[in-house]
Amino acid sequence: MKELIDLYKEESISAFLSIPSEDISRFVDLIIEAYKNEKKVFACGNGGNVASVQNLVLDLNMHPFVSEDKGKRKGERNKFQAISLCDSGAAITGIANDLGYENIFAEQLKYQGESGDILFGMSGSGNSKNIIEALKVAKEKGITIVVMTRNKVTKSDDYADLVLRINSEDSTFPGQTGGNNNNFHYEDCISKVSHIAVGLLKQYVSNENQPK
């Protein structure tokens, strides 16, 4: 068991290091620009990625804007906000029933998104139909598109302005079925990239609120 635990650690490190730091930096820059321009950050994903969406959205909405003791807000909060397209069971089931499951994110984005916003699509394969349909809407509306994937060639490449891609060797750690190589490490990397963006946004907001 210790050998497998060490294997997981090694693979996870390799997976994260395979994402170019320049791409992560660009993602952070996009988030900070969205904050400065009071835009929205939409996020969507399927299955386990929904937890990653919720974590990112919560952190972006709260963490940069509270004091260190978390007892009060720190500085002024503008109209910047992060929105999960996965949260409303009513919206998702209603859209799926009436218009098809592939439209559950796209249909919400049509009426909430605007030019200058960001869409962060989380798709391990990079080919999820409901993610692709959301990317199409985002492209039409002038929304900046970021996709995180573990596949080297994907349908989302045709739409994304930035792809955060795992380029490491396929994982051999047990439990990853259905050809989902690096699926565990992919989800780990979403968390790491999200935390980097949130931490650096907090740093920016804190510096902005320093007395002049």
Side-chain angles (χ1 to χ4, degrees):
M1 184 175 292
K2 181 181 180 301
E3 289 180 358
L4 287 174
I5 292 170
D6 288 341
L7 172 65
Y8 188 97
K9 289 180 177 180
E10 292 168 6
E11 288 184 347
S12 184
I13 291 169
S14 176
F16 184 55
L17 290 177
S18 75
I19 305 172
S21 295
E22 292 81 3
D23 291 346
I24 299 174
S25 177
R26 187 177 171 202
F27 176 59
V28 174
D29 285 341
L30 289 171
I31 296 294
I32 291 175
E33 283 300 310
Y35 165 75
K36 289 162 60 177
N37 295 320
E38 299 188 281
K39 294 298 183 178
K40 298 181 288 291
V41 178
F42 295 94
C44 57
N46 294 289
N49 289 342
V50 175
S52 299
V53 168
Q54 292 171 327
N55 191 6
L56 173 66
V57 166
L58 172 63
D59 280 356
L60 282 176
N61 281 330
M62 296 298 298
H63 192 67
F65 311 107
V66 296
S67 60
E68 289 306 312
D69 63 6
K70 297 187 178 181
K72 59 183 182 298
R73 286 201 179 277
K74 183 176 182 180
E76 294 296 321
R77 169 72 188 272
N78 67 14
K79 295 180 181 179
F80 167 81
Q81 61 177 311
I83 299 170
S84 168
L85 298 176
C86 307
D87 277 1
S88 174
I92 288 173
T93 55
I95 295 168
N97 187 59
D98 294 342
L99 300 173
Y101 189 77
E102 66 274 17
N103 293 306
I104 60 172
F105 304 135
E107 198 66 18
Q108 295 182 73
L109 197 62
K110 282 180 184 178
Y111 305 104
Q112 297 184 60
E114 60 184 9
S115 179
D117 290 341
I118 295 172
L119 173 63
F120 186 12
M122 304 175 189
S123 173
S125 68
N127 301 316
S128 304
K129 290 182 179 179
N130 51 13
I131 300 291
I132 298 300
E133 291 304 313
L135 302 189
K136 291 177 181 177
V137 169
K139 183 65 72 176
E140 291 172 358
K141 295 178 74 67
I143 295 170
T144 301
I145 299 168
V146 180
V147 173
M148 189 154 183
T149 182
R150 55 177 168 71
N151 275 359
K152 293 177 174 56
V153 179
T154 75
K155 293 178 181 177
S156 62
D157 288 52
D158 295 334
Y159 304 96
D161 298 291
L162 173 64
V163 178
L164 299 171
R165 193 189 319 272
I166 292 175
N167 289 300
S168 60
E169 295 297 320
D170 290 342
S171 172
T172 59
F173 187 83
Q176 300 171 96
T177 58
N180 288 330
N181 288 321
N182 275 320
N183 202 44
F184 290 163
H185 306 316
Y186 165 72
E187 292 181 355
D188 292 344
C189 287
I190 294 175
S191 180
K192 289 181 172 67
V193 169
S194 296
H195 287 156
I196 289 172
V198 170
L200 294 179
L201 176 60
K202 182 175 179 65
Q203 180 187 61
Y204 179 87
V205 171
S206 296
N207 291 340
E208 186 183 51
N209 287 317
Q210 290 294 323
K212 299 295 190 286

